[in-house]
Amino acid sequence: MSESNTSSRNSGPPLKVEAESPNTELERSLGFVEAMAIGTGTMVGAGIFVFPGLAAGQAGPAAMLSFAIGAVIAMLVALPTAELATAMPESGGGYYFISRGLGAFLGSLVGIGQWLGLIFASAFYLMGFAYYLSDVLSVLGMTASLPVQAVAFMTVVVLTGVSITGTKNTGDLQSAIVGLLLVILAGFLGHGLLDALGFFGRETVPESYFPYGIMPVFTTAALVFTSYLGFAQIATVAGEIKDPARNLPRAMIGSVLLVGVLYVLTIFLSTSIVGSEALSGLGETAIVEVARAIFGTVGAAAILTGGLLATLSSANASILSSSRSLFALSRDSLVPDKMREINRKFRTPHIALLLTGVPIAGLILFGQVEVLAEVASLLHLVMYGLMCITLLVMRARQPASYDPDFRCPGSPVLPALGALASFGLIAFMQPLSIGLGFGVLIAAALWHVFYARDVDIVYE
């Protein structure tokens, strides 16, 4: 870490950033596969298991175009993020970049917002995991009622415990979950696409490609963009990724491309097999009924298992990423120093992990997690927009320490479009979610004013 990259309180001597302290150094134990699994596993969830019916009801078969537009917008943000991550490969992701480019105040808003947003999202994922498990058991003929809150609670305890015992353990678990998930999706899409193309004698449902016109394609793109919110989690654990100059951009760009292709093929398959109108009527379980139409009960059980794995992988990656945001805030003295403490045996930030796992458990027992999940999306969009602006500021300032191994093409147009798209999508969210999201940001601002207003972060 360069001496020019420091945080300090105005009234005291400069504090070196944590990387120079052996008690706050994280181990680089994650390779390309684990990084790719974190990004892919966080994104493959809502896009495939929740949105097909909703998107087809708004845009018809052209919903696949909506998912493609969502992927393009995600790439507008992923490319600037990849440049920032290779220039500053430290834990904290969006918080770290924005605090160095735009200052400690906006850094506090994003860092605290990212920590809380991922806590909200994790609680939502874990409740979804418990419901998927209940549905899998029901399809298999096990009629006993499953205590979903208790299952979600125990799962967060296990995932937090795994994360505390080693980042590599979390990475290995993530790779295994995502690998099995991709096998299920490959079987579903491979056989299903051949069926939809008529190789097994099936006739597809005839319908217009744009039954509701062109405009619903774009409004649906705003709806489904939340499916692509996970790629930035890779940057959050950048301080633990081996060979970051090579692995960070490949994992970020590769995960967006892979997930985008999976989404588009899923919509094509689903609308071809059952038609967009029928798909819309099936709601949030549409993809399960598509699998049932192709493979029978076995297919329904398999795709439910896929949903089970998707929600588990999303929660696992989000717990890891959320704790690193808190850890990074603490290194810069924006939250109490205790939160950056590293476990001497496992080399993990156990205090930050506990301060992530415990609130998730509380939300599972007492919270309204569905509303909070959309709040998490809003906080991500704010961070994405500010990361794109940070890239523009870094290119203009050209600090000596800024020497990225990957450079975003098309600057300044591409990051400017990424910022506009990220902020613009907030307007399409529910008013309650917008109100709660900005409430979180105001609370973060008040924290900064009362606790950390004298902190300067210098990046030269």
Side-chain angles (χ1 to χ4, degrees):
M1 181 63 63
S2 166
E3 291 189 6
S4 62
N5 186 359
T6 64
S7 62
S8 67
R9 291 185 182 276
N10 290 334
S11 57
L15 302 173
K16 293 281 179 66
V17 177
E18 86 300 331
E20 299 194 3
S21 169
N23 197 38
T24 55
E25 181 75 25
L26 295 172
E27 181 182 4
R28 291 193 183 275
S29 57
L30 303 175
F32 169 72
V33 172
E34 291 85 359
M36 187 82 177
I38 288 171
T40 304
T42 309
M43 286 187 279
V44 176
I48 287 181
F49 297 99
V50 176
F51 281 135
L54 301 175
Q58 291 191 15
M64 70 178 74
L65 194 55
S66 302
F67 275 95
I69 292 171
V72 171
I73 296 174
M75 193 60 74
L76 291 176
V77 181
L79 290 169
T81 305
E83 175 174 326
L84 293 170
T86 60
M88 298 174 273
E90 298 293 335
S91 295
Y95 156 71
Y96 194 91
F97 311 146
I98 292 165
S99 62
R100 270 63 188 170
L102 304 179
F105 178 73
L106 287 177
S108 289
L109 266 60
V110 169
I112 294 173
Q114 189 176 15
W115 169 57
L116 289 174
L118 289 171
I119 285 174
F120 299 159
S122 298
F124 176 73
Y125 296 143
L126 288 167
M127 287 300 291
F129 167 80
Y131 280 116
Y132 270 118
L133 181 59
S134 177
D135 289 344
V136 168
L137 296 178
S138 177
V139 168
L140 295 177
M142 302 178 189
T143 56
S145 177
L146 193 70
V148 291
Q149 280 184 307
V151 170
F153 180 87
M154 290 305 300
T155 307
V156 71
V157 171
V158 171
L159 292 180
T160 304
V162 170
S163 290
I164 288 176
T165 58
T167 303
K168 190 172 189 315
N169 295 338
T170 304
D172 290 343
L173 175 64
Q174 187 73 3
S175 298
I177 295 171
V178 173
L180 184 54
L181 171 61
L182 292 179
V183 168
I184 292 173
L185 290 177
F188 168 67
L189 290 173
H191 186 284
L193 287 171
L194 291 175
D195 199 5
L197 293 172
F199 281 83
F200 306 132
R202 181 188 294 272
E203 294 185 2
T204 57
V205 178
E207 58 181 330
S208 169
Y209 190 74
F210 296 103
Y212 310 111
I214 298 295
M215 188 52 67
V217 174
F218 295 99
T219 56
T220 305
L223 170 71
V224 304
F225 180 72
T226 54
S227 309
Y228 294 99
L229 292 181
F231 65 86
Q233 312 315 349
I234 301 170
T236 310
V237 295
E240 294 157 90
I241 292 180
K242 303 173 188 172
D243 192 3
R246 174 183 172 84
N247 289 330
L248 280 169
R250 290 173 68 206
M252 287 185 196
I253 296 168
S255 60
V256 171
L257 288 174
L258 174 62
V259 172
V261 170
L262 289 175
Y263 288 165
V264 170
L265 292 179
T266 298
I267 297 298
F268 170 75
L269 165 63
S270 301
T271 54
S272 298
I273 295 291
V274 302
S276 61
E277 185 175 351
L279 198 66
S280 173
L282 295 172
E284 296 180 354
T285 62
I287 196 67
V288 178
E289 299 309 317
V290 172
R292 195 190 304 275
I294 300 172
F295 301 101
T297 301
V298 173
I303 210 69
L304 281 170
T305 304
L308 191 75
L309 295 169
T311 48
L312 186 62
S313 67
S314 296
N316 188 43
S318 297
I319 291 171
L320 182 72
S321 300
S322 179
S323 68
R324 274 29 175 201
S325 296
L326 194 59
F327 172 78
L329 284 162
S330 180
R331 286 189 315 188
D332 290 342
S333 303
L334 294 173
V335 296
D337 294 345
K338 191 73 175 175
M339 299 176 190
R340 65 181 174 187
E341 187 173 297
I342 298 293
N343 185 283
R344 293 183 181 276
K345 179 178 181 181
F346 301 117
R347 307 300 303 167
T348 55
H350 58 291
I351 303 296
L353 278 163
L354 287 173
L355 289 173
T356 299
V358 171
I360 294 171
L363 285 175
I364 288 171
L365 295 178
F366 305 110
Q368 298 293 321
V369 296
E370 293 83 1
V371 173
L372 294 179
E374 188 163 296
V375 175
S377 297
L378 182 145
L379 295 171
H380 272 78
L381 287 170
V382 171
M383 179 180 74
Y384 287 176
L386 290 176
M387 283 198 298
C388 291
I389 293 174
T390 297
L391 176 68
L392 296 173
V393 170
M394 287 295 188
R395 288 283 188 99
R397 281 176 44 199
Q398 296 185 338
S401 299
Y402 190 77
D403 184 22
D405 292 286
F406 172 86
R407 297 189 73 84
C408 172
S411 182
V413 175
L414 190 147
L417 288 175
L420 288 173
S422 299
F423 293 137
L425 284 174
I426 293 174
F428 292 91
M429 292 187 159
Q430 298 294 323
L432 177 60
S433 301
I434 294 175
L436 290 173
F438 281 99
V440 169
L441 294 176
I442 291 171
L446 291 174
W447 170 270
H448 182 89
V449 169
F450 287 107
Y451 182 83
R453 65 179 179 276
D454 58 346
V455 173
D456 276 342
I457 296 177
V458 180
Y459 186 83
E460 295 177 341

